[in-house]
Amino acid sequence: MHIRHLIALTLCIISTASLYAQQTYTELELLTVHEQITAISTASEPMRFVDISTDKVAGDQPINNTIRLKPKEGAEVHEDGDILAIVTIVTERWRTQYALIYTTRPEEAVTDKQIHLDESISYHNPAVSMSTEDMTRFARRIWNSPARYRNVATKMHHMTMRLNNIYSVGDYFFIDFSVDNRTNIRFDIDQIRVKLDDKKQSKATNCQSIELDPVMFLERAESFKHGYRNVVVLKKLTFPNDKILNIEMSEKQISGRTISLAIDYEDVLYADSFDHSLLEED
């Protein structure tokens, strides 16, 4: 091998190795913290895993995309520049790390930290087949699309609850439903439940109801006067013909009205595959 080829190969190996070099805390983003100041760190998508490397820092996750951090002790134990912990955050598509550095001056402590993509490393999370951002985009376009179902509805308490669309996207069902309230009484939503119920209920037998845990509801409205529409996302499932998929909406007391929509297995079987043209900009 010619010497110049050997040098070129060596430089190539060194360059490639540098791309995968191990990272030390001195290369991490530094966040200064103080025991009297709570540091809030927020991501643009849900955090699936958070690790604080030592017990010198207290932390919790009040909502799915936000964590709170604060040193447990102050200047009587720590000095300026002490490294208290390394915080690792893994979201649906990214991971990042920060080194928490103690400061004796509260005015230097970070209070609000927004996690930026240029501080993160792209990460394939095996537990996430579709990100919340993509799921929301799919659901929003379905919510804005014309209704394809006209014959699946329930009438009760001068209200009509109807199925608009069912789409199958990846590992999920997107079920679009709406409620028309023909009364002048506002409906204050207590909860929306999704269940598998027996299609035929006999007084002689116990009815079996299986509660399902929705992955997401597109809308979080707590009340409506005349019209309501939402998209619920469920993990794909199959169920026998003697079961129906029930979406039940109940009202807060004192009125306590309840209305439910029964979706037959045949309707689920013929769920449309998602048309990606729905994601095109208007």
Side-chain angles (χ1 to χ4, degrees):
M1 181 181 291
H2 294 297
I3 187 66
R4 65 174 180 271
H5 291 161
L6 179 60
I7 294 173
L9 179 60
T10 303
L11 291 175
C12 182
I13 293 173
I14 293 173
S15 175
T16 303
S18 66
L19 294 176
Y20 298 95
Q22 294 180 343
Q23 192 176 37
T24 66
Y25 77 87
T26 58
E27 300 169 278
L28 300 179
E29 179 85 8
L30 304 181
L31 300 184
T32 53
V33 292
H34 187 275
E35 72 275 10
Q36 295 179 1
I37 306 295
T38 298
I40 304 293
S41 182
T42 305
S44 59
E45 58 187 33
M47 298 177 182
R48 293 303 185 97
F49 172 80
V50 178
D51 177 72
I52 302 173
S53 63
T54 73
D55 60 1
K56 298 176 183 178
V57 175
D60 69 346
Q61 188 174 352
I63 54 179
N64 64 6
N65 70 331
T66 301
I67 59 171
R68 296 182 292 194
L69 303 165
K70 183 189 290 187
K72 293 181 179 180
E73 297 173 303
E76 69 280 0
V77 176
H78 307 302
E79 297 180 355
D80 274 319
D82 282 354
I83 302 167
L84 301 188
I86 305 297
V87 176
T88 302
I89 300 170
V90 177
T91 68
E92 293 176 334
R93 297 174 297 177
W94 305 91
R95 63 180 176 86
T96 190
Q97 289 183 309
Y98 297 104
L100 303 186
I101 306 299
Y102 181 75
T103 178
T104 58
R105 293 172 288 278
E107 63 273 13
E108 294 181 352
V110 173
T111 59
D112 189 359
K113 173 59 183 174
Q114 178 70 40
I115 299 175
H116 300 288
L117 292 184
D118 58 2
E119 301 168 353
S120 306
I121 299 172
S122 182
Y123 174 70
H124 174 67
N125 192 331
V128 178
S129 60
M130 182 183 296
S131 70
T132 301
E133 181 180 351
D134 288 340
M135 195 175 292
T136 301
R137 288 173 61 239
F138 280 118
R140 178 59 62 188
R141 299 303 289 185
I142 292 170
W143 190 90
N144 287 321
S145 65
R148 296 173 181 265
Y149 288 79
R150 301 292 181 183
N151 59 345
V152 181
T154 301
K155 294 183 179 181
M156 190 177 297
H157 308 301
H158 300 287
M159 297 188 299
T160 301
M161 189 173 185
R162 68 178 70 253
L163 174 67
N164 299 314
N165 297 295
I166 303 180
Y167 280 97
S168 171
V169 188
D171 295 330
Y172 302 96
F173 284 129
F174 289 67
I175 302 176
D176 170 15
F177 67 96
S178 59
V179 180
D180 296 323
N181 181 11
R182 294 185 299 277
T183 73
N184 290 320
I185 303 174
R186 179 179 298 276
F187 193 100
D188 296 315
I189 301 171
D190 181 27
Q191 60 180 337
I192 302 175
R193 302 169 64 190
V194 183
K195 302 180 292 182
L196 281 180
D197 291 329
D198 292 333
K199 183 180 294 186
K200 296 181 179 180
Q201 298 183 2
S202 171
K203 293 182 179 180
T205 60
N206 292 327
C207 298
Q208 292 187 345
S209 181
I210 302 172
E211 191 96 14
L212 302 179
D213 187 17
V215 179
M216 187 188 78
F217 283 101
L218 177 62
E219 295 295 330
R220 291 294 179 181
E222 296 182 352
S223 65
F224 62 93
K225 185 72 178 287
H226 295 299
Y228 176 87
R229 189 170 181 177
N230 209 338
V231 177
V232 58
V233 183
L234 299 174
K235 195 77 173 176
K236 269 188 180 178
L237 75 160
T238 59
F239 52 93
N241 285 326
D242 60 350
K243 295 282 187 180
I244 54 173
L245 186 65
N246 235 328
I247 302 177
E248 180 184 275
M249 176 183 288
S250 59
E251 186 182 23
K252 295 178 181 177
Q253 301 296 333
I254 303 173
S255 176
R257 291 171 291 181
T258 299
I259 187 168
S260 62
L261 176 67
I263 303 174
D264 196 82
Y265 186 51
E266 291 297 317
D267 295 316
V268 177
L269 281 178
Y270 290 106
D272 290 331
S273 294
F274 192 78
D275 183 355
H276 284 268
S277 64
L278 286 175
L279 287 181
E280 294 177 0
E281 296 294 334
D282 294 328

